[in-house]
Short mmCIF file of all heavy atoms in Angstrom, two decimals:
data_model
loop_
_atom_site.label_atom_id
_atom_site.label_comp_id
_atom_site.label_asym_id
_atom_site.label_seq_id
_atom_site.Cartn_x
_atom_site.Cartn_y
_atom_site.Cartn_z
N PRO A 1 14.19 -1.27 30.86
CA PRO A 1 13.84 0.07 31.11
C PRO A 1 12.52 0.42 30.64
O PRO A 1 12.02 -0.02 29.61
CB PRO A 1 14.93 0.82 30.59
CG PRO A 1 15.37 -0.03 29.49
CD PRO A 1 15.28 -1.38 29.91
N VAL A 2 11.83 1.29 31.37
CA VAL A 2 10.49 1.79 30.86
C VAL A 2 10.69 2.99 30.06
O VAL A 2 11.29 4.02 30.54
CB VAL A 2 9.53 2.20 32.25
CG1 VAL A 2 8.27 2.66 31.74
CG2 VAL A 2 9.41 0.90 33.11
N MET A 3 10.18 3.05 28.90
CA MET A 3 10.52 4.09 27.97
C MET A 3 9.18 4.93 27.68
O MET A 3 9.11 5.63 26.64
CB MET A 3 11.02 3.58 26.66
CG MET A 3 12.40 2.86 26.75
SD MET A 3 13.74 3.98 27.06
CE MET A 3 15.06 2.85 26.96
N SER A 4 8.10 4.72 28.43
CA SER A 4 6.81 5.46 28.11
C SER A 4 7.07 6.97 28.11
O SER A 4 6.38 7.60 27.11
CB SER A 4 5.76 4.98 29.04
OG SER A 4 6.15 5.35 30.41
N SER A 5 7.73 7.47 28.99
CA SER A 5 7.87 8.97 28.97
C SER A 5 8.64 9.54 27.86
O SER A 5 8.38 10.64 27.23
CB SER A 5 8.41 9.38 30.36
OG SER A 5 9.79 8.91 30.39
N LEU A 6 9.54 8.76 27.44
CA LEU A 6 10.47 9.26 26.28
C LEU A 6 9.55 8.98 25.00
O LEU A 6 9.72 9.90 23.99
CB LEU A 6 11.68 8.26 26.04
CG LEU A 6 12.76 8.44 27.27
CD1 LEU A 6 13.82 7.58 26.93
CD2 LEU A 6 13.05 9.83 27.44
N ASN A 7 8.72 7.97 24.84
CA ASN A 7 7.78 7.92 23.70
C ASN A 7 6.79 9.14 23.84
O ASN A 7 6.45 9.81 22.72
CB ASN A 7 7.02 6.63 23.77
CG ASN A 7 7.93 5.42 23.66
OD1 ASN A 7 8.92 5.45 22.95
ND2 ASN A 7 7.50 4.29 24.19
N THR A 8 6.36 9.58 25.04
CA THR A 8 5.53 10.68 25.07
C THR A 8 6.17 12.04 24.59
O THR A 8 5.55 12.94 24.09
CB THR A 8 5.01 10.85 26.60
OG1 THR A 8 4.42 9.62 26.89
CG2 THR A 8 4.05 11.99 26.66
N SER A 9 7.46 12.06 24.89
CA SER A 9 8.23 13.34 24.51
C SER A 9 8.28 13.42 22.95
O SER A 9 8.12 14.48 22.47
CB SER A 9 9.62 13.25 25.08
OG SER A 9 10.47 12.23 24.42
N VAL A 10 8.39 12.29 22.27
CA VAL A 10 8.45 12.46 20.83
C VAL A 10 7.04 12.83 20.31
O VAL A 10 6.93 13.58 19.34
CB VAL A 10 8.74 11.03 20.29
CG1 VAL A 10 8.67 11.10 18.77
CG2 VAL A 10 10.33 10.69 20.65
N VAL A 11 6.04 12.29 20.95
CA VAL A 11 4.61 12.69 20.52
C VAL A 11 4.39 14.18 20.72
O VAL A 11 3.78 14.87 19.92
CB VAL A 11 3.61 11.87 21.37
CG1 VAL A 11 2.13 12.37 21.05
CG2 VAL A 11 3.72 10.38 21.02
N PHE A 12 4.77 14.58 21.85
CA PHE A 12 4.65 16.04 22.16
C PHE A 12 5.65 16.91 21.20
O PHE A 12 5.21 18.12 20.87
CB PHE A 12 4.96 16.47 23.54
CG PHE A 12 3.98 16.31 24.66
CD1 PHE A 12 3.89 15.23 25.48
CD2 PHE A 12 2.78 17.13 24.57
CE1 PHE A 12 2.96 14.96 26.33
CE2 PHE A 12 1.84 16.96 25.34
CZ PHE A 12 1.91 15.84 26.37
N GLY A 13 6.71 16.39 20.86
CA GLY A 13 7.47 17.09 19.88
C GLY A 13 6.84 17.29 18.48
O GLY A 13 6.74 18.45 17.95
N TYR A 14 6.17 16.28 17.90
CA TYR A 14 5.34 16.47 16.66
C TYR A 14 4.13 17.17 16.99
O TYR A 14 3.67 17.92 15.99
CB TYR A 14 5.02 15.10 16.17
CG TYR A 14 6.26 14.42 15.50
CD1 TYR A 14 6.93 13.29 16.12
CD2 TYR A 14 6.80 14.96 14.15
CE1 TYR A 14 8.00 12.65 15.46
CE2 TYR A 14 7.76 14.34 13.66
CZ TYR A 14 8.45 13.17 14.23
OH TYR A 14 9.56 12.61 13.68
N LEU A 15 3.52 17.16 18.10
CA LEU A 15 2.37 18.09 18.43
C LEU A 15 2.77 19.50 18.44
O LEU A 15 1.99 20.45 17.95
CB LEU A 15 1.76 17.66 19.71
CG LEU A 15 0.86 16.26 19.75
CD1 LEU A 15 0.47 16.18 21.12
CD2 LEU A 15 -0.13 16.41 18.76
N ASN A 16 3.99 19.79 18.92
CA ASN A 16 4.48 21.15 18.95
C ASN A 16 4.75 21.63 17.52
O ASN A 16 4.42 22.83 17.16
CB ASN A 16 5.66 21.37 19.70
CG ASN A 16 5.45 21.57 21.21
OD1 ASN A 16 5.09 22.61 21.55
ND2 ASN A 16 5.63 20.50 22.00
N PHE A 17 5.17 20.76 16.68
CA PHE A 17 5.31 21.19 15.25
C PHE A 17 4.00 21.50 14.62
O PHE A 17 3.88 22.45 13.85
CB PHE A 17 6.04 19.92 14.45
CG PHE A 17 5.87 20.12 13.04
CD1 PHE A 17 6.55 21.06 12.27
CD2 PHE A 17 5.11 19.22 12.30
CE1 PHE A 17 6.42 21.11 10.87
CE2 PHE A 17 4.95 19.29 10.93
CZ PHE A 17 5.65 20.21 10.20
N ILE A 18 3.09 20.66 14.84
CA ILE A 18 1.66 20.95 14.17
C ILE A 18 1.12 22.31 14.77
O ILE A 18 0.55 22.98 14.03
CB ILE A 18 0.80 19.83 14.50
CG1 ILE A 18 1.26 18.58 13.87
CG2 ILE A 18 -0.71 20.02 14.09
CD1 ILE A 18 0.41 17.20 14.12
N LEU A 19 1.29 22.44 15.97
CA LEU A 19 0.75 23.67 16.62
C LEU A 19 1.49 24.92 16.12
O LEU A 19 0.74 25.84 15.75
CB LEU A 19 0.94 23.59 18.18
CG LEU A 19 0.49 24.74 19.04
CD1 LEU A 19 -1.06 24.67 18.88
CD2 LEU A 19 0.93 24.57 20.51
N TRP A 20 2.70 24.82 15.98
CA TRP A 20 3.60 26.07 15.50
C TRP A 20 3.27 26.21 14.01
O TRP A 20 3.25 27.41 13.51
CB TRP A 20 4.93 25.92 15.84
CG TRP A 20 5.32 26.23 17.20
CD1 TRP A 20 5.16 25.44 18.34
CD2 TRP A 20 5.84 27.46 17.68
NE1 TRP A 20 5.60 26.04 19.43
CE2 TRP A 20 6.08 27.37 19.14
CE3 TRP A 20 6.34 28.62 17.23
CZ2 TRP A 20 6.50 28.30 19.99
CZ3 TRP A 20 6.66 29.67 17.95
CH2 TRP A 20 6.93 29.46 19.44
N ALA A 21 3.17 25.14 13.27
CA ALA A 21 2.95 25.25 11.87
C ALA A 21 1.60 25.73 11.53
O ALA A 21 1.27 26.58 10.55
CB ALA A 21 3.18 23.86 11.11
N GLY A 22 0.60 25.33 12.32
CA GLY A 22 -0.74 25.90 12.24
C GLY A 22 -0.84 27.43 12.56
O GLY A 22 -1.68 28.12 12.03
N ASN A 23 0.03 27.75 13.53
CA ASN A 23 0.08 29.13 13.89
C ASN A 23 0.60 30.08 12.92
O ASN A 23 0.38 31.42 13.01
CB ASN A 23 0.81 29.22 15.32
CG ASN A 23 0.43 30.66 16.00
OD1 ASN A 23 -0.71 31.01 16.10
ND2 ASN A 23 1.44 31.24 16.46
N ILE A 24 1.24 29.62 11.90
CA ILE A 24 1.89 30.40 10.83
C ILE A 24 0.74 31.38 10.08
O ILE A 24 0.95 32.37 9.77
CB ILE A 24 2.57 29.64 9.77
CG1 ILE A 24 3.78 29.06 10.49
CG2 ILE A 24 3.02 30.45 8.64
CD1 ILE A 24 4.67 28.12 9.61
N TRP A 25 -0.31 30.64 9.92
CA TRP A 25 -1.41 31.31 9.16
C TRP A 25 -1.98 32.54 9.91
O TRP A 25 -2.25 33.67 9.36
CB TRP A 25 -2.60 30.28 8.94
CG TRP A 25 -3.84 31.03 8.45
CD1 TRP A 25 -5.07 31.08 9.11
CD2 TRP A 25 -4.04 31.64 7.09
NE1 TRP A 25 -5.93 31.72 8.36
CE2 TRP A 25 -5.39 32.11 7.13
CE3 TRP A 25 -3.29 31.95 6.06
CZ2 TRP A 25 -5.86 32.89 6.08
CZ3 TRP A 25 -3.71 32.62 4.95
CH2 TRP A 25 -5.08 33.03 4.92
N PHE A 26 -2.18 32.36 11.32
CA PHE A 26 -2.74 33.41 12.02
C PHE A 26 -1.65 34.57 12.17
O PHE A 26 -2.11 35.78 12.21
CB PHE A 26 -3.12 32.83 13.48
CG PHE A 26 -4.25 31.78 13.33
CD1 PHE A 26 -3.88 30.54 13.36
CD2 PHE A 26 -5.53 32.16 13.31
CE1 PHE A 26 -4.85 29.44 13.40
CE2 PHE A 26 -6.43 31.23 13.18
CZ PHE A 26 -6.16 29.84 13.19
N VAL A 27 -0.50 34.22 12.37
CA VAL A 27 0.62 35.24 12.46
C VAL A 27 0.68 36.03 11.12
O VAL A 27 0.96 37.20 11.08
CB VAL A 27 1.86 34.68 13.07
CG1 VAL A 27 2.99 35.76 13.05
CG2 VAL A 27 1.75 34.09 14.26
N PHE A 28 0.48 35.30 9.98
CA PHE A 28 0.60 35.79 8.68
C PHE A 28 -0.48 36.89 8.47
O PHE A 28 -0.21 37.97 7.86
CB PHE A 28 0.50 34.69 7.63
CG PHE A 28 0.37 35.35 6.16
CD1 PHE A 28 1.54 35.77 5.60
CD2 PHE A 28 -0.85 35.27 5.52
CE1 PHE A 28 1.47 36.25 4.29
CE2 PHE A 28 -0.99 35.66 4.31
CZ PHE A 28 0.22 36.32 3.54
N LYS A 29 -1.68 36.62 9.03
CA LYS A 29 -2.70 37.63 8.75
C LYS A 29 -2.53 38.81 9.62
O LYS A 29 -2.93 39.95 9.33
CB LYS A 29 -4.07 36.94 9.27
CG LYS A 29 -4.64 35.99 8.41
CD LYS A 29 -6.04 35.56 8.71
CE LYS A 29 -6.20 35.07 10.07
NZ LYS A 29 -7.71 34.58 10.26
#
Protein backbone atom coordinates (compact mmCIF):
# COMPACT_ATOMS: atom_id res chain seq x y z
CA PRO A 1 0.00 0.00 0.00
CA VAL A 2 1.05 3.59 -0.69
CA MET A 3 1.30 5.53 2.58
CA SER A 4 2.55 8.89 1.29
CA SER A 5 -0.67 10.76 2.04
CA LEU A 6 -0.77 9.37 5.58
CA ASN A 7 2.82 10.48 6.13
CA THR A 8 1.80 13.92 4.89
CA SER A 9 -1.06 14.02 7.39
CA VAL A 10 1.37 13.52 10.27
CA VAL A 11 3.57 16.31 8.93
CA PHE A 12 0.59 18.64 8.71
CA GLY A 13 -0.40 17.67 12.24
CA TYR A 14 2.91 18.85 13.66
CA LEU A 15 2.85 21.94 11.44
CA ASN A 16 -0.53 22.81 12.92
CA PHE A 17 0.93 22.42 16.40
CA ILE A 18 3.76 24.83 15.55
CA LEU A 19 1.30 27.25 13.96
CA TRP A 20 -1.10 27.29 16.92
CA ALA A 21 1.67 27.36 19.52
CA GLY A 22 3.27 30.33 17.77
CA ASN A 23 -0.09 32.09 17.67
CA ILE A 24 -0.30 31.98 21.47
CA TRP A 25 2.03 34.98 21.70
CA PHE A 26 -0.05 37.13 19.37
CA VAL A 27 -3.31 36.27 21.14
CA PHE A 28 -1.64 36.93 24.49
CA LYS A 29 -0.85 40.50 23.42
